[in-house]
Amino acid sequence: MELHLLDFVSFFGYFVFLSFIGWYMGRAKKQAASDYFLAGKTLPWYVVGSSYIAANISTEHFLGMIGAAVLYGIVVATPEWSSVIAFSFLIWLFIPFLLGSKVYTTPEFLERRFNKEIRLLFALITLLANVTAFMAPVIYGGGLIVEEALGFNALFGLNADAVAAGYIPNWGLFVSIFLIAFASGVWAIWGGLKSVAWMDVLTIVIMLVGGFLVTFLGLSYLGEGSILSGFSEMIDANQCGDGWSAAWLGENVPNMLAGVSAGADYNRLSVLQPINHATTPWTHWVFSFFYIGLWYTVINQHMIQKVFAAKNIYHARMGMVFASFLKLLLPFIVVVPGLIWFAMKPEFLSTGNWPLMSEEANKTYILMISKLVPPFMTGLLLAALFGAIQSTVSSVLNSTSTIFTLDFYKMYINRRATERQEIRMGKLSGGLILAVSVLLAIMLAMTKINIFVYIQTLYTFIAPPFSAIFLIGMLWKRVNGRDALTAIIVSFALGALLKYLEYGPLAESQTAFAQFVKPFANQGLMVWAVAVLTAVVSACFTSSPAGEQVGEGLVFSFSNLSTLKEGLGRRWYSGVFFWWALSFVLMVVLIVYFSIVF
C-alpha cells in the first residue's frame, strides 16, 4: 500500500490515544488479584458489551470472514447473527448461575460442580485452545495486514516473486508477526483486564465507523457514486444468474457443497444452506448453540471474564444485550465487503485454483482499503484493524494468564501464594504464552489456509464435549464428575475418528454419509450428541454426586427461579427484556430477508 503522511498521523495518533487509555486505566497499583484479573468488578454495561465483542472481533473477521464471504457468500454471517440466540441463553439463564457462584474462572466453576480432574482437564484444553485457536491465527492475520500495508519485504529488498514461490523465507511477515505480538501484549500484561476492557471501547467505536465507511465506499464504487445502485449491483452479481459470476459459481460449487458436481445449484445470498455445506449447513442455526455457542459464549474464559468483571448482574445482562446489537451489525462490516469485492471481480477468482483463491481472499479487506479509502482514513482504518487484533490478543492473554495462575500455579505449584505473587505470576505467564503463540503464528504463515475455516474447524473439535457436560450438568443433578470425564474422553475420541474419516477413507467418497460427515459443523453436532448420550448412560450406573456439588448456583432448580429475575432494570425502557426482545426480533428479520426474500 502507498500510505500518505496523513495516514501515519492518524495511525500513530490512534495508538497514542489507545495507549494513554491503557496506561490511565491500569495505572493504579494492583493490591488484589481481582483488581488485575477482573478489573475489580467495576465494569459498566457498555464496557462489558464493547469489550466482549472487541475480544471476539479479530483477523478471523476482517481477513478470514470477509475472505470466506467472497467465496461462500452471505452464509458466513450465520455465526454472528446466530450468536444472539446464544447470548439469549447467557442473559436469561447462565449469568445468574455464574455470578452467583462467585468464581474467577470457568474451570473453577466446573470443579465445584464436578471435580478437580474436570477442572484440570478443562483448564489445560483452554490453554491449548487459546494459543492455537485464538492468539496464533489472530497474530498471523495481523502480520498479514502489517506486511501488506507497510511492505517490509520491499523494505528489506526481498524479491516478491521469490517470497511468494517459497524460495526465500517471508521475513517481512515474520517481522510483522513479532511487532503485532509486542504491541498487543504490552497493556494486557502491564495493566490487566481494566486496561484491556476500556481500550476496547475506543476500538469498537473506530471499528464500526471505519467498517461502515468501507462498506459505503464499496457500494458507491459499484454504483458509480450511488450507494443504492451499488447495492443493486452487488445483489445482481452475487445472485450469479448469468455472465462470469454464473460460470464461476458453476465451476466452484463442488468446493462449497460436499458431494456435488459442477453446475449444481447454490444460493450465495441465503444464510440457510444444505446439510452438506462445507462451512455452515442449516444445522448451525438450529444446533450451533449447543455444540459450540455454549462453550464460546458461556464457558470460554476470555469472553466470559468480561461478564465476571461487571459491576452487578444488571450491568452483566445489559452488557450482553448491547453485545447482541453489535453482533447484528457486524456482518455489514465483515461480510458485505466480501460480497462487494466478489461483485468487483478480483483477478484471483479467474485462476481456477481454490486453495489459491482462499489464500488471496484473506487479503480482501486490506485491498479494499487501499483501493477505496482516502488518506487519513486509510491510516485510521489500519489502526482500527490493529486495535481489533490487539483487543483479542490482550483479552486472550489476560484470561489465559488468569487460568494458568489460578488453576495451575495456585492449585498445584504454590497453594499459599499471596495475591501479589498471583499478579506477578499472571504477568510472567502472559509473556511466555505470548512467545509460544508467536512461534505457532510463524508456522501458520508457512502454510496456505483460510483463517476462518481453520478457526471454525478447531472450535468444532474443542467445544462440543465441554458444552455437553456443562449443559447436562447444570440441568440434571444425577450427573457426577466420573460421568462428565467419561463423556469427554469418548467424544474427543469420536472427534478424532471423524477427522480421520474426513481426510482418509471418505476424502474422495461421494456417498450421503460422507456428505454429512465432511462439514465440520456436522461433526461438532455428532460429537456433542454422543457426549450427552454418554453422560446420561454413565449416570445410570454411577452414584449421585455429593450434596455440595449440586447446591444452589450449580444446578438449575425451579425452587430458585427468583434468582433469574434479578438485575432486569427498574423501568421498561431501560430494562433488559425490552432491548433483548428488540435484538431478537431484528435477528429474525435478517434471517427471513436472507433466506426467503432471496
Side-chain angles (χ1 to χ4, degrees), residues 498-553:
L498 292 174
K499 284 300 174 189
Y500 165 73
L501 292 175
E502 177 186 356
Y503 295 104
L506 299 182
E508 304 298 328
S509 175
Q510 302 297 320
T511 65
F513 176 72
Q515 293 178 31
F516 178 78
V517 168
K518 287 181 182 180
F520 52 74
N522 292 343
Q523 293 177 21
L525 176 59
M526 286 187 284
V527 171
W528 178 85
V530 167
V532 171
L533 180 62
T534 302
V536 170
V537 171
S538 178
C540 296
F541 297 94
T542 58
S543 59
S544 300
E548 63 269 16
Q549 293 177 316
V550 292
E552 185 175 348

Side-chain angles (χ1 to χ4, degrees), residues 28 37 83 105 132 140 149 164 169 171 184 220 224 236 258 288 312 319 328 371 396 414 432 487 528 564 568 574:
F37 296 116
S83 292
T105 67
T132 59
Y140 160 59
W171 293 112
S184 302
S220 179
E224 298 180 348
D236 289 343
S288 64
N312 53 43
L328 293 175
K371 186 178 183 67
V396 178
N414 187 0
L432 178 61
W528 178 85
L564 305 183
L568 297 180
S574 62

Side-chain angles (χ1 to χ4, degrees), residues 59-234:
T59 47
E60 176 198 355
H61 294 75
F62 285 102
L63 296 184
M65 186 168 284
I66 290 180
V70 175
L71 302 177
Y72 297 100
I74 193 68
V75 69
V76 296
T78 297
E80 304 308 307
W81 288 335
S82 65
S83 292
V84 176
I85 300 173
F87 290 177
S88 298
F89 282 93
L90 182 59
I91 292 165
W92 295 109
L93 186 59
F94 295 114
I95 283 179
F97 281 92
L98 292 173
L99 296 188
S101 64
K102 301 186 185 301
V103 297
Y104 278 36
T105 67
T106 44
E108 184 181 355
F109 179 88
L110 291 176
E111 179 189 8
R112 292 187 58 189
R113 174 59 184 89
F114 295 115
N115 53 38
K116 288 184 178 180
E117 289 75 18
I118 296 295
R119 175 179 183 171
L120 176 63
L121 180 60
F122 182 71
L124 179 61
I125 294 296
T126 299
L127 291 179
L128 294 174
N130 283 357
V131 172
T132 59
F134 292 105
M135 291 183 61
V138 169
I139 293 173
Y140 160 59
L144 284 176
I145 294 175
V146 171
E147 169 51 29
E148 190 72 31
L150 303 182
F152 282 121
N153 280 330
L155 183 65
F156 298 154
L158 301 179
N159 183 276
D161 293 333
V163 171
Y167 297 138
I168 58 177
N170 195 341
W171 293 112
L173 179 55
F174 297 162
V175 171
S176 301
I177 285 172
F178 280 108
L179 290 177
I180 284 291
F182 176 79
S184 302
V186 169
W187 299 115
I189 295 172
W190 182 80
L193 183 60
K194 192 170 185 178
S195 290
V196 172
W198 281 94
M199 287 191 298
D200 288 343
V201 177
L202 175 64
T203 298
I204 281 292
V205 171
I206 298 299
M207 197 184 304
L208 289 176
V209 172
F212 277 113
L213 176 65
V214 172
T215 299
F216 291 147
L217 289 176
L219 292 175
S220 179
Y221 179 88
L222 284 179
E224 298 180 348
S226 170
I227 291 177
L228 291 178
S229 296
F231 181 81
S232 178
E233 181 71 21
M234 179 192 73

Side-chain angles (χ1 to χ4, degrees), residues 93-94 109-110 113-114 289-290 294 299 464-488 528-540 545 549-550 554-556:
L93 186 59
F94 295 114
F109 179 88
L110 291 176
R113 174 59 184 89
F114 295 115
F289 168 73
F290 297 101
L294 183 58
I299 56 177
F466 293 105
S467 293
I469 66 157
F470 180 81
L471 183 63
I472 195 170
M474 195 199 75
L475 296 178
W476 193 26
K477 291 183 178 182
R478 189 67 179 76
V479 178
N480 63 25
R482 182 180 297 178
D483 305 326
L485 184 60
T486 302
I488 291 171
W528 178 85
V530 167
V532 171
L533 180 62
T534 302
V536 170
V537 171
S538 178
C540 296
Q549 293 177 316
V550 292
L554 297 175
V555 178
F556 176 81

Side-chain angles (χ1 to χ4, degrees), residues 380-437:
L380 197 61
L381 276 172
L382 290 175
L385 285 177
F386 296 154
I389 298 163
Q390 176 271 331
S391 64
T392 299
V393 174
S394 296
S395 294
V396 178
L397 257 183
N398 182 261
S399 65
T400 309
S401 64
T402 300
I403 287 180
F404 180 84
T405 302
L406 301 182
D407 295 302
F408 286 99
Y409 175 73
K410 186 69 179 288
M411 287 288 294
Y412 299 101
I413 300 174
N414 187 0
R415 290 180 176 273
R416 298 183 179 181
T418 64
E419 294 197 82
R420 187 177 297 275
Q421 288 176 316
E422 291 176 12
I423 294 172
R424 186 183 302 117
M425 179 52 62
K427 294 180 178 180
L428 290 174
S429 61
L432 178 61
I433 291 163
L434 185 62
V436 174
S437 300

Side-chain angles (χ1 to χ4, degrees), residues 43 45-57 83 86-87 90 95 196-197 200-201 204 293-308 316 319-320 322-324 326-327 391-392 395:
L43 300 185
W45 63 266
Y46 55 90
V47 177
V48 172
S50 296
S51 188
Y52 191 100
I53 297 301
N56 171 240
I57 302 174
S83 292
F87 290 177
L90 182 59
I95 283 179
V196 172
D200 288 343
V201 177
I204 281 292
L294 183 58
W295 168 77
Y296 191 86
T297 61
V298 180
I299 56 177
N300 179 3
Q301 181 67 25
H302 99 265
M303 303 299 292
I304 202 65
Q305 193 157 331
K306 315 304 173 59
V307 175
F308 284 150
M320 294 312 302
F322 182 50
S324 298
L326 293 177
K327 276 290 190 180
S391 64
T392 299
S395 294

